[in-house]
């Protein structure tokens, strides 16, 4: 075998050789099991010392790229973990589809907590220092006892009866959702609820309509399932129902607290939306992700409670009220699709893990969730008030606040031209985490502005954070 | 408004009226909010007493189907839970697709534990009385501490680093899988691993090849994703590689312990399969669901360990080694699709719940899993031996055992004609749970036989159970 190695000049001979051999192995050009030339021969061929060769072989052997077999020579290790080789997916029949998935990476990325700034307005993070550790521990003990008494088999795809009951009670009370236990399907967070509902309703090429700007992970999910996702513009009252196209099979909305803008959907718009869905024979997904936190005005009930024709699938989550990493959410389904969604859930992952399910059922039934929501609501209300006070006073020259009444983020739109991308970059330098609204606009024309989440930032940090923001804005003007 | 009610004869007037009104409300013929005729008028119209009418209204009001408004009359409740109304899905644009899902119900059904017989040869159930409650409790405490220290946000889509490391070590050791931590993606059981892998490889109409007979939930899943699933026949060495069609993008196999037949794939067949996949540019899913339990012969390594070109995605589960209801499994992925699968997992449900993840990581790292597997292996080996002893002696006139070396079920084929469906029905009457092989055959011609699982049946119950089986067989002959 002729080994193709090119040595340039007389410098770094060992590292040149090392890198070329390693590349050849990782890329598969030097196939696993291939015998390498004896160091003496390769030294002659390349005109470098035999010691350089054998030292390089030794390093590569130490790193498991090569393996020495006594009496027969040095070979490319046949058992290099595949992952240590660079491998392209272009040799695969599904290359194009794999490409598609790779391209979702950056729009889907959650900002990592490790990268979180000292003063961070990230959305979706909960007020962690309030997490009721002791109550949750007690409920998990209960879960362990239940599992200990179980029979070593699968649980129900639709969720544990105890949890379905607890959820039905919680959302009847907290959100005016009209349902009984049997309407509830437990999922791994709201995202999986969207996945299983969309699976039973759409095939390649079917139209899904959603708010634009809107919740990107939902858009990416429906697209990845093959849907033709149409972004429908918003006005002050919510989604422009008149622009929902004919042929739409699924409509995704966030009526209580539009994501990301924040305004609630008006009553008239809700009625129009329900009628449009009925006319289309479409299902509406009402994603009610954070409306347990409500600050002012008369509580608006869910869209689901206005639906008397079975067009609304209500989706909720405990990621906002409890903890995202527990991955617990649910869907309340109209009769036409309930059974089908349960089957889709079973086919997807059989059912949600019973360990967190039992714990949450107990946590809700014992009243801890309501207590926890009340406690967090107080904290979020204080933060919200502080942010609004500043936005309505010294930050007013730059921003308009989009009016909202629920949740724990708000959207602000620029009144004057601000380079948001630059603002965010400058923010990082003063330990300030800012987030643009831009990634949530798709077909609609992007409005420059910020999404200000107040789950992660401490109340006392708000003023220093907004001082920094103001000073950056002054700098940019 | 004319209410359409028909009263026949003079008997059960109240219940006739009740049922018709209720049906009208549930079916939506009497729409929510509709006012009912005053009892006096309806009494005249139907020629029955006013008291019968008002009593019936009272019952329906009590049941929330009707609501009385003082001074204005009786109305159909606008807030009847949708689920209490009968609603057809045929009005929906997606009616055909919803039908499709409904039709999956019966092939997908797990036998329920509640319906389990005193002597039950169900597959997939684990030996529950061996579950290490105390160790698992300790590991869950550890999990709670970790969660208590976390920051109220999402975790990694690919799984917790601690668990990926524990899994990589476990399967390198137990199954000769060639991998490092970074190759591992944690999923909600093997079923979700299949789901996310198939998502990144197949679109509507793409061909998936799998063993026939084979694991039905995998077939149903791939089909529901729009794949053209081709059943490839088996011989004694495993899947007939020569019959895998051109254009196949994904090949699903169970090489260690073919499901449901049980024979391991021969070495020659493995080599042929790897070559065929390479030639097709296809990915092979190696579902190694229960091969930690191995009884005889030299341990066969995984197919994945023979793959030096990155064609094999190895899938495993803790449903068999620990507990199905925890929903913990994993995939070890070749570099070409690793990143894409992580993205698909994130899009599907963000990540697996950290509560069971942390507990399992600790459980494996502390050596409890290995200990538990050894303990169960001893029990399963005893049961297997007892069943084989009977099959090779007094049950030999009826059945041939398909040779296998791993897992906790075996397949037996009828030597003489036996009406399996009748046998199963008769079994139920003597508290014997038997399962046919038939549901696992798809395109291939079905061979009459039984799948005998020995996870649920106690060792001491095996002889009485097989006595019952024998007596039924005698009855049927």
């Amino acid at each position: 075998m002729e080994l193709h190695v090119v040595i340039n000049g007389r410098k770094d001979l060992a590292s040149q050789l090392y890198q070329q051999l390693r590349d050849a192995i990782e890329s598969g050009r030097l196939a696993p099991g291939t015998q390498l030339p004896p160091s003496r021969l390769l030294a002659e061929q390349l005109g470098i010392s035999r010691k350089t060769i054998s030292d390089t072989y030794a390093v590569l052997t130490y790193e498991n790229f090569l393996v020495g077999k006594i009496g027969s020579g040095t070979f490319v290790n046949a058992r290099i973990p595949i992952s240590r080789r660079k491998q392209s997916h272009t040799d695969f029949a599904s290359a194009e589809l794999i490409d598609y998935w790779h391209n979702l990476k950056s729009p889907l990325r959650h900002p990592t907590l490790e990268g979180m700034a000292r003063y961070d307005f990230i959305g979706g993070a909960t007020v962690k220092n309030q997490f009721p550790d002791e109550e949750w521990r007690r409920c998990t003990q209960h879960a362990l006892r239940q599992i200990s008494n179980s029979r070593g088999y699968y649980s129900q795809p639709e969720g544990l009866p105890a949890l379905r009951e607890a959820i039905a009670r919680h959302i009847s009370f907290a959100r005016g959702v009209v349902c009984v236990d049997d309407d509830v399907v437990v999922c791994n967070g709201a995202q999986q609820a969207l996945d299983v509902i969309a699976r039973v309703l759409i095939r390649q090429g079917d139209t899904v309509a959603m708010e634009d700007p809107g919740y990107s992970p939902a858009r990416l999910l429906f697209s990845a399932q093959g849907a033709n996702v149409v972004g429908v513009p918003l006005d002050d009252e919510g989604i422009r129902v008149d622009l929902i196209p004919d042929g739409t099979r699924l409509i995704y909305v966030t009526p209580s607290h539009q994501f990301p803008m924040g305004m609630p959907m008006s009553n008239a718009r809700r009625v129009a939306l329900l009628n449009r869905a009925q006319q289309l024979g479409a299902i509406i997904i009402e994603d009610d992700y954070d409306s347990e936190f409500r600050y002012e005005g008369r509580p608006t009930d869910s869209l689901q409670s206005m639906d008397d024709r079975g067009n609304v699938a209500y989706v909720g989550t405990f990621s906002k009220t409890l903890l995202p990493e527990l991955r617990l959410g649910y869907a309340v389904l109209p009769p036409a699709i309930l059974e089908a969604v349960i089957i889709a859930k079973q086919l997807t992952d059989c059912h949600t893990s019973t360990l967190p399910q039992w714990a949450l059922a107990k946590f809700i039934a014992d009243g801890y969730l309501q207590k926890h929501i009340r406690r967090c609501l107080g904290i979020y209300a204080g933060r919200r008030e502080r942010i609004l006070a500043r936005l309505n006073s010294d930050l007013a020259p730059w921003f308009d606040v989009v009016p909202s009444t629920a949740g724990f983020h708000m959207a602000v739109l620029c009144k004057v031209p601000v380079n948001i991308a630059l603002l965010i970059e400058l923010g990082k330098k003063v330990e300030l985490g800012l987030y643009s609204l831009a990634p949530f606009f798709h077909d609609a024309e992007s409005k420059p502005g910020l999404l200000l989440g107040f789950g992660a930032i401490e109340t006392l940090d708000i003023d220093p954070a907004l001082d920094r923001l103001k000073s950056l804005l002054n700098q940019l003007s």
Side-chain angles (χ1 to χ4, degrees), chain A:
Chain A
M1 191 214 63
E2 180 79 358
L3 186 65
H4 183 75
V5 175
V6 180
I7 299 292
N8 293 312
R10 306 304 302 164
K11 282 176 71 178
D12 299 325
L13 297 176
S15 75
Q16 283 189 48
L17 181 62
Y18 169 87
Q19 202 53 54
Q20 289 187 50
L21 285 175
R22 184 170 163 165
D23 283 351
I25 295 168
E26 286 189 325
S27 69
R29 271 186 293 122
L30 268 181
T34 309
Q35 183 167 14
L36 268 72
S39 54
R40 186 183 44 78
L41 281 183
L42 190 58
E44 277 175 20
Q45 183 194 321
L46 298 176
I48 59 182
S49 83
R50 188 174 168 185
K51 182 169 183 309
T52 304
I53 309 284
S54 55
D55 284 357
T56 305
Y57 281 9
V59 172
L60 287 165
T61 302
Y62 175 77
E63 294 180 339
N64 278 321
F65 287 104
L66 297 178
V67 62
K69 293 185 189 170
I70 293 165
S72 55
T74 303
F75 297 80
V76 176
N77 191 348
R79 293 177 65 108
I80 307 168
I82 298 286
S83 62
R84 302 205 53 187
R85 301 186 215 142
K86 292 169 193 147
Q87 185 203 33
S88 154
H89 61 271
T90 53
D91 297 341
F92 286 86
S94 307
E96 206 182 318
L97 192 49
I98 298 170
D99 263 344
Y100 172 87
W101 285 95
H102 284 162
N103 290 334
L104 295 187
K105 182 169 188 178
S106 101
L108 193 62
R109 188 164 39 209
H110 284 292
T112 62
L113 275 186
E114 287 63 40
M116 238 165 65
R118 168 79 179 80
Y119 304 98
D120 209 304
F121 288 103
I122 192 169
T126 54
V127 50
K128 184 62 205 311
N129 58 15
Q130 296 298 319
F131 186 77
D133 285 315
E134 180 47 32
E135 290 83 352
W136 184 251
R137 198 189 58 74
R138 228 176 301 148
C139 293
T140 306
Q141 303 287 15
H142 168 81
L144 288 170
R145 284 191 296 275
Q146 298 297 326
I147 289 175
S148 166
N149 293 329
S150 76
R151 295 189 54 187
Y153 197 58
Y154 295 91
S155 178
Q156 297 94 329
E158 61 273 18
L160 292 172
L163 182 54
R164 297 171 87 197
E165 184 189 338
I167 290 173
R169 286 185 188 208
H170 167 64
I171 56 180
S172 303
F173 171 75
R175 297 293 306 124
V177 173
V178 181
C179 68
V180 295
D181 315 1
D182 285 348
D183 306 331
V184 176
V185 176
V186 177
C187 293
N188 310 330
Q191 188 72 11
Q192 190 185 44
L194 305 188
D195 183 39
V196 289
I197 294 169
R199 278 187 196 228
V200 306
L201 292 171
I202 57 170
R203 279 243 169 102
Q204 189 111 27
D206 288 342
T207 298
V208 174
M210 64 177 284
E211 299 158 331
D212 189 356
Y215 183 59
S216 316
R219 166 180 282 277
L220 296 170
L221 176 65
F222 302 143
S223 296
Q225 289 175 330
N228 164 37
V229 183
V230 176
V232 180
L234 307 174
D235 61 20
D236 293 350
E237 300 190 57
I239 191 168
R240 287 276 307 274
V241 170
D242 56 314
L243 298 178
I244 295 174
D246 288 345
T248 297
R249 294 191 167 201
L250 179 62
I251 304 167
Y252 172 85
V253 287
T254 48
S256 300
H257 187 223
Q258 203 279 330
F259 189 90
M261 302 305 282
M263 69 287 194
M265 194 181 295
S266 74
N267 215 54
R269 199 56 62 82
R270 288 170 190 241
V271 171
L273 179 60
L274 289 169
N275 287 335
R276 180 67 174 140
Q278 169 74 7
Q279 180 194 27
L280 289 163
I283 292 285
I284 302 168
I285 295 180
E286 174 181 25
D287 188 347
D288 206 30
Y289 59 104
D290 69 357
S291 61
E292 279 97 342
F293 302 106
R294 214 164 33 220
Y295 305 100
E296 46 193 66
R298 205 168 58 79
T300 33
D301 272 354
S302 60
L303 181 68
Q304 191 265 5
S305 68
M306 299 171 62
D307 169 33
D308 50 30
R309 290 168 297 197
N311 289 99
V312 175
Y314 177 92
V315 168
T317 178
F318 296 96
S319 292
K320 314 300 175 202
T321 48
L322 195 54
L323 198 58
E325 66 181 87
L326 292 174
R327 309 307 309 125
L328 288 163
Y330 53 90
V332 177
L333 297 157
I337 62 167
L338 173 65
E339 193 65 38
V341 170
I342 293 172
I343 294 165
K345 166 69 179 164
Q346 179 170 4
L347 200 57
T348 302
D349 66 357
C350 299
H351 61 78
T352 294
S353 180
T354 55
L355 182 59
Q357 276 199 76
W358 279 118
L360 178 62
K362 179 83 174 153
F363 191 82
I364 299 174
D366 286 2
Y368 297 136
L369 182 68
Q370 272 310 319
K371 226 174 101 188
H372 181 57
I373 290 175
R374 275 200 303 275
R375 199 187 305 122
C376 293
L377 179 61
I379 293 167
Y380 291 147
R383 294 182 185 174
R384 180 173 177 274
E385 206 175 310
R386 194 62 220 135
I387 296 172
L388 284 175
R390 293 290 300 269
L391 286 168
N392 290 327
S393 58
D394 62 328
L395 291 168
W398 288 280
F399 296 118
D400 276 325
V401 185
V402 181
S404 69
T405 58
F408 51 100
H409 78 261
M410 63 180 83
V412 295
L413 296 173
C414 300
K415 274 182 182 171
V416 294
V418 175
N419 183 335
I420 292 287
L422 182 57
L423 180 69
I424 290 172
E425 281 314 304
L426 293 174
K428 285 180 190 160
K429 295 188 181 154
V430 293
E431 300 190 280
L432 180 63
L434 296 173
Y435 299 87
S436 171
L437 288 173
F440 306 109
F441 286 81
H442 198 263
D443 305 321
E445 201 190 338
S446 181
K447 294 182 186 168
L450 295 174
L451 185 146
L452 296 175
F454 42 93
I457 194 161
E458 299 285 339
T459 311
L460 290 174
D461 283 341
I462 288 175
D463 276 315
L466 295 180
D467 291 345
R468 281 168 160 79
L469 174 59
K470 186 177 161 187
S471 118
L472 292 177
L473 288 165
N474 275 319
Q475 225 175 290
L476 283 178
S477 303

